[in-house]
Amino acid sequence: MSNVLSYRGYYATVEFDSEEKLLCGSVVGMNDGVYFEAETASEVEGAFHEAVDDYLAFCKEKGKQPEKSYKGSFNVRINPDLHRAAALAAAMRKESLNQFVADAIAAAL
């Protein structure tokens, strides 16, 4: 079971709003806000697809390049001691800090 939907390279999570009695979703991994709602579980995937299609149509109409979910870069704030230790470990392996962090994330997943 999963509350993550995928469509055209976009990903969304869905939650239940107990006050409004709606399933509410949002596209994740990008700055532009793309949201959708559905009354039933059988409608939620269609609402997500419609929201993505509307977003892409809006971007085309405005001449804007649509954002993609998870561009492959993000900022991480960590303790300076951990930063130093990771940078030194990367240097000892003769690899970039970026590669060291990517490898560590991959190992954790």
Side-chain angles (χ1 to χ4, degrees):
M1 179 180 352
S2 173
N3 69 337
V4 177
L5 299 171
S6 165
Y7 176 66
R8 297 182 76 174
Y10 294 90
Y11 301 89
T13 57
V14 179
E15 296 181 358
F16 179 65
D17 180 335
S18 62
E19 291 178 12
E20 297 294 325
K21 305 291 189 246
L22 290 172
L23 293 166
C24 302
S26 62
V27 175
V28 295
M30 55 189 264
N31 291 325
D32 288 345
V34 179
Y35 306 98
F36 56 95
E37 298 177 344
E39 292 184 6
T40 67
S42 60
E43 297 172 344
V44 77
E45 191 167 23
F48 168 50
H49 291 190
E50 185 177 335
V52 169
D53 291 341
D54 287 349
Y55 170 70
L56 294 173
F58 173 80
C59 288
K60 184 175 183 178
E61 177 184 313
K62 297 296 180 185
K64 175 189 184 307
Q65 184 68 31
E67 263 192 85
K68 281 293 192 183
S69 289
Y70 306 109
K71 295 174 280 247
S73 65
F74 63 98
N75 294 321
V76 178
R77 287 176 178 72
I78 59 174
N79 177 291
D81 294 333
L82 182 59
H83 185 178
R84 180 178 50 254
L88 291 172
M92 290 173 60
R93 294 168 122 179
K94 298 189 183 331
E95 65 184 11
S96 68
L97 178 58
N98 189 68
Q99 186 61 53
F100 181 83
V101 171
D103 291 346
I105 291 171
L109 297 175

